[in-house]
């Protein structure tokens, strides 16, 4: 019997007013319904905001070390359930098991990291101009934070928004993506068992057009953090800022890896394959453009095609690369493959749906490589969000940087080179919020800032590390004339 999961509002597990539910299917076998979730509406979302607003003062006045203790205990509970959470993530999102386990571990690490930060939150003491005055600053919570998160990292992204928000003393309403909401509800379960007071966290499942819009527009919400597509994110940002709210958006990417003439083609192909085909290409930091010097291009393409064709595709529990999350995502990727061929790109690997009993029913796509790609083609300009890499040939390093920067996104970028001067030039000139040398575009440390340039971000506040706390705090300056 399929389990029906409830919303978490004001410390209780409750059904939606609509009485309707959402079925989440296993993307490796859509005939299997993994779980049912509440198909909530604006009224459900408003109830969640009311609960968060009512709990705000008490939570803000809770000492930082006590808030940290709850976060630490929640992280410990998540660690105890790591296998269970990994199973759930694989079943709902389709990610290969090692990737899913790594994502769950990241959520655990995030909670433990911010548990220590909660005790360190404070201000600075300054010297006053006159005698008899203490002059200092205080960091205080913004208030009620609305978090809207995507399906591709369904536990890590909620964790890296939620943990700093709670550590700083904010209350939270969270809307996880409807395609894979289960692990986000497990965060609420762990925090509830760890002793989080009622109303401090509220999780409501349902469509963004109703639940998300109410979160953003509700007068009691003070800050909105959104991760998702550029088109939706820009609307979210406009709606939130028009209402005078603090807003943070992290959006798409069209991430390049520049392969210099000094690079080892086999090493470069391994870096690009890992960045482009890992997580089935469903990462905002995935490498979708390999910008390759003409001297190493042929050998690089041969190596990359070999890696693409050798990847073991199938259900995530047993195979190296899992399915795309939905039929819609798979069809979108296949459409981009067709567009690339029609525009004149040359298909050298993949390009279709794999064959075999294990992949017959799921949303699988072959790892795909194109060459003869012009920088102006759609495959080189638009985010595909699938396991597709476009190889663009350039004649020198300057052209490589120009092509890398020649898109409207600027999230992550890497260079593969043995030339230290080229590496430094790339770090200085690449228009991206994350730049790497001799590494894949994917993979982030949790204690340093993350965010993009240009259309990849609102370019307001960064996420993760100390920077992640900045969005959720506001500074007060105190003049204490004693």
């Amino acid at each position: 019997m399929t389990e029906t999961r409830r919303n978490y509002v004001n410390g209780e597990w409750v059904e939606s007013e609509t009485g309707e539910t959402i079925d989440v299917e296993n993307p490796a076998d859509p005939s299997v319904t993994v779980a049912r979730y509440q198909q909530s509406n604006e009224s459900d979302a408003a109830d969640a905001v009311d609960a968060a607003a009512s709990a705000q003062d008490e939570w803000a006045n809770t000492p930082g070390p006590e808030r940290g203790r709850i976060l630490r205990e929640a992280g410990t509970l998540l660690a105890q359930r790591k296998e269970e959470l990994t199973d759930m993530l694989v079943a709902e999102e389709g990610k290969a098991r090692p990737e899913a386990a790594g994502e769950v571990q990241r959520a655990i690490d995030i909670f433990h990291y911010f548990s220590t930060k909660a005790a360190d939150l404070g201000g600075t003491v300054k010297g006053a101009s006159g005698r008899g005055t203490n002059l200092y600053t205080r960091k205080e919570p913004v208030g009620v934070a609305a978090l809207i998160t995507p399906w591709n990292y369904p536990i890590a992204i909620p964790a890296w928004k939620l943990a700093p928000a709670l550590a700083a003393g904010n209350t939270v309403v969270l809307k996880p993506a409807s395609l894979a909401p289960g692990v986000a509800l497990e965060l609420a379960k762990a925090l509830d068992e760890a002793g989080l007071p009622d109303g401090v966290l509220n999780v409501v499942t349902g469509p963004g057009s109703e639940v998300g819009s109410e979160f953003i527009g509700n007068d009691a919400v003070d800050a909105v953090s959104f991760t998702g597509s550029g088109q939706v994110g820009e609307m979210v940002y406009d709606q939130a800022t028009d209402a005078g709210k603090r807003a943070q958006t992290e959006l798409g990417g069209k991430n390049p890896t520049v392969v210099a003439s000094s690079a080892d083609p086999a090493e470069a192909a391994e870096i690009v394959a890992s960045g482009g085909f890992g997580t089935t290409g469903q990462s905002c930091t995935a490498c979708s453009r390999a910008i390759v010097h003409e001297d190493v291009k042929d050998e690089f393409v041969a190596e990359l095609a070999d890696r693409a064709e050798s990847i073991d595709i199938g259900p995530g529990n047993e195979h190296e690369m899992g399915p795309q999350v939905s039929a819609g995502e798979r069809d979108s990727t296949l459409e981009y493959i067709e567009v690339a061929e029609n525009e004149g790109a040359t298909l050298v690997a993949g390009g279709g749906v794999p064959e075999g009993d294990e992949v017959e029913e799921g949303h699988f796509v072959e790892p795909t490589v194109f060459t003869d790609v012009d920088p102006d083609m759609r495959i080189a300009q638009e985010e595909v969000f699938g396991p597709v890499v476009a190889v663009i040939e350039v004649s020198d390093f300057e052209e490589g940087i120009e092509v890398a920067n020649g898109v409207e996104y600027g999230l992550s970028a890497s260079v593969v080179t043995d030339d230290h001067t080229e590496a430094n030039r790339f770090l200085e000139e690449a228009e991206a919020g994350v730049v790497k040398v001799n590494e894949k575009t994917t993979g982030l440390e949790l204690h340093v800032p993350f965010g993009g340039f240009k259309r990849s971000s609102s370019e307001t506040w960064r996420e993760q590390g100390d920077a992640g706390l900045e969005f959720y705090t506001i500074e007060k300056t105190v003049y204490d004339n004693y």
Side-chain angles (χ1 to χ4, degrees):
M1 182 176 179
T2 302
E3 180 184 9
T4 299
R5 304 287 302 277
R6 299 181 178 184
N7 294 331
Y8 180 71
V9 177
N10 203 24
E12 301 289 339
W13 296 97
V14 298
E15 293 183 356
S16 167
E17 285 191 6
T18 67
E20 299 176 359
T21 57
I22 309 164
D23 282 359
V24 172
E25 299 169 346
N26 186 329
D29 184 358
S31 67
V32 176
T33 298
V34 178
R36 291 191 174 95
Y37 298 91
Q38 302 303 308
Q39 177 87 336
S40 308
N41 61 12
E42 294 96 334
S43 179
D44 297 305
D47 289 345
V49 174
D50 288 344
S54 297
Q56 172 56 41
D57 287 344
E58 180 183 351
W59 183 243
N61 291 323
T62 300
E66 173 61 14
R67 297 198 297 263
R69 184 203 63 76
I70 293 171
L71 291 176
R72 183 168 59 253
E73 176 62 18
T76 300
L77 291 169
L78 294 173
Q80 293 170 358
R81 300 167 187 165
K82 183 176 178 180
E83 289 299 310
E84 173 190 343
L85 295 172
T86 300
D87 289 340
M88 181 180 291
L89 204 163
V90 172
E92 290 196 350
E93 200 270 350
K95 197 167 290 186
R97 188 172 188 82
E99 296 170 340
E103 183 183 342
V104 173
Q105 185 60 52
R106 185 177 184 85
I108 295 165
D109 293 343
I110 287 168
F111 271 81
H112 286 157
Y113 173 81
F114 282 106
S115 73
T116 63
K117 289 292 180 182
D120 289 338
L121 280 173
T124 57
V125 177
K126 298 292 185 179
S129 299
R131 299 177 185 275
T133 299
N134 292 324
L135 182 62
Y136 60 94
T137 65
R138 291 168 48 93
K139 285 187 179 292
E140 299 186 351
V142 173
V144 177
L147 314 180
I148 302 172
T149 59
W151 52 261
N152 61 322
Y153 285 92
I155 191 168
I157 292 179
W160 83 45
K161 294 179 186 292
L162 176 58
L166 296 178
N170 299 273
T171 54
V172 171
V173 291
L174 167 64
K175 193 204 88 66
S178 296
L179 286 171
V183 282
L185 286 166
E186 290 300 312
L187 294 178
K189 181 179 178 181
L191 284 160
D192 181 82
E193 293 181 21
L196 191 72
D198 295 348
V200 174
L201 169 62
N202 307 272
V203 185
V204 179
T205 58
S209 59
E210 297 187 47
V211 176
S213 291
E214 175 62 29
F215 281 175
I216 298 164
N218 193 294
D219 289 342
V221 169
D222 301 289
V224 177
S225 180
F226 171 90
T227 298
S229 71
Q231 183 178 9
V232 175
E234 287 162 6
M235 292 189 293
V236 168
Y237 185 81
D238 288 344
Q239 183 183 353
T241 53
D242 285 350
K245 303 179 191 299
R246 182 175 290 203
Q248 169 193 67
T249 60
E250 294 299 339
L251 311 174
K254 192 64 183 171
N255 310 295
T257 294
V258 173
V259 181
S261 59
S262 63
D264 175 77
E267 177 188 2
E270 183 60 37
I271 288 171
V272 169
S274 181
F277 304 137
T279 65
T280 320
Q282 298 178 132
S283 172
C284 56
T285 57
C287 175
S288 61
R289 295 181 296 149
I291 302 166
V292 187
H293 193 282
E294 59 189 8
D295 290 350
V296 295
K297 177 247 184 180
D298 289 345
E299 189 175 350
F300 169 85
V301 169
E303 294 278 357
L304 183 62
D306 283 346
R307 282 164 173 75
E309 291 169 349
S310 69
I311 291 174
D312 177 36
I313 307 170
N317 271 323
E318 298 90 20
H319 297 273
E320 184 181 359
M321 191 179 94
Q324 296 210 245
V325 72
S326 68
E329 290 293 327
R330 177 203 59 201
D331 293 346
S332 174
T333 298
L334 293 173
E335 181 179 342
Y336 268 110
I337 290 170
E338 182 179 356
V339 166
E341 291 184 287
N342 291 338
E343 288 187 332
T346 300
L347 180 68
V348 296
V353 175
E355 298 179 352
D357 292 342
E358 285 191 297
V359 296
E360 185 176 2
E361 301 298 332
H363 309 313
F364 295 95
V365 177
E366 294 173 322
T368 298
V369 179
F370 281 102
T371 60
D372 302 317
V373 175
D374 185 273
D376 294 329
M377 289 181 178
R378 287 181 62 191
I379 198 74
Q381 289 288 323
E382 299 176 16
E383 186 175 38
V384 176
F385 227 65
V388 179
V389 174
V391 178
I392 303 170
E393 181 179 335
V394 293
S395 59
D396 56 38
F397 192 71
E398 287 71 20
E399 184 184 2
I401 294 178
E402 181 181 352
V403 172
N405 291 336
V407 294
E408 61 185 358
Y409 297 102
L411 187 55
S412 182
S414 72
V415 62
V416 184
T417 180
D418 284 341
D419 186 317
H420 193 61
T421 299
E422 288 181 342
N424 282 332
R425 278 199 59 193
F426 186 82
L427 295 177
E428 292 174 358
E429 298 177 33
E431 296 171 355
V434 176
V435 289
K436 299 184 175 185
V437 176
N438 297 329
E439 289 192 26
K440 61 183 179 179
T441 56
T442 53
L444 304 167
E445 297 276 4
L446 62 84
H447 59 290
V448 291
F450 170 65
F453 290 0
K454 300 189 284 189
R455 202 182 173 196
S456 288
S457 169
S458 56
E459 297 187 336
T460 47
W461 285 269
R462 293 310 199 208
E463 296 192 280
Q464 304 195 103
D466 288 333
L469 288 164
E470 294 295 325
F471 177 70
Y472 298 105
T473 58
I474 191 164
E475 202 156 37
K476 177 185 289 182
T477 303
V478 178
Y479 295 78
D480 176 17
N481 188 337
Y482 58 86

